[in-house]
Amino acid sequence: MRLEMIKSVAKARYANNAAAYVEYLNAQVAQSAAQADQFNVERQLQVGLNNINTLVGRHSREKLILRGDVRRAINSVPALIELEDYAENSHPSLKS
């Protein structure tokens, strides 16, 4: 969506002779690249879900429902200071 807005701004700047046409073309290329990346990530996600289904003995086309408690996962992550203390205590050479 943002790349579409950037493309519109570049087109308007070109129309007002404030920018070169190549700026608009660069925005179009960036938008197309982002769309291709999004497609690839979605495809990788689908392949991964199919693989998980196969590994757990289900049909690969069966819908896989993943559940997780995000709040609990976030709360279980230690703070940066705790991680630094743990690293320094585990490896005394890091203190220096």
Side-chain angles (χ1 to χ4, degrees):
M1 210 184 287
R2 289 182 189 216
L3 285 171
E4 187 65 39
M5 292 179 355
I6 290 170
K7 195 169 79 170
S8 297
V9 168
K11 189 174 185 179
R13 288 186 63 202
Y14 172 69
N16 293 328
N17 295 325
Y21 188 67
V22 72
E23 185 177 325
Y24 174 69
L25 292 177
N26 286 339
Q28 279 185 320
V29 169
Q31 182 183 25
S32 296
Q35 288 172 338
D37 290 345
Q38 180 182 7
F39 173 78
N40 288 334
V41 167
E42 288 171 357
R43 182 69 184 134
Q44 288 175 353
L45 174 64
Q46 189 59 44
V47 168
L49 292 175
N50 290 349
N51 288 342
I52 291 171
N53 265 338
T54 302
L55 289 170
V56 297
R58 300 170 68 187
H59 192 277
S60 64
R61 292 186 187 160
E62 193 172 332
K63 180 139 177 82
L64 180 64
I65 299 171
L66 301 175
R67 290 187 216 129
D69 188 358
V70 176
R71 279 179 266 132
R72 190 175 77 182
I74 290 174
N75 290 337
S76 68
V77 175
L80 180 60
I81 294 173
E82 294 171 349
L83 287 174
E84 288 174 346
D85 288 341
Y86 174 76
E88 289 176 354
N89 291 335
S90 299
H91 304 282
S93 62
L94 292 176
K95 286 186 180 182
S96 62

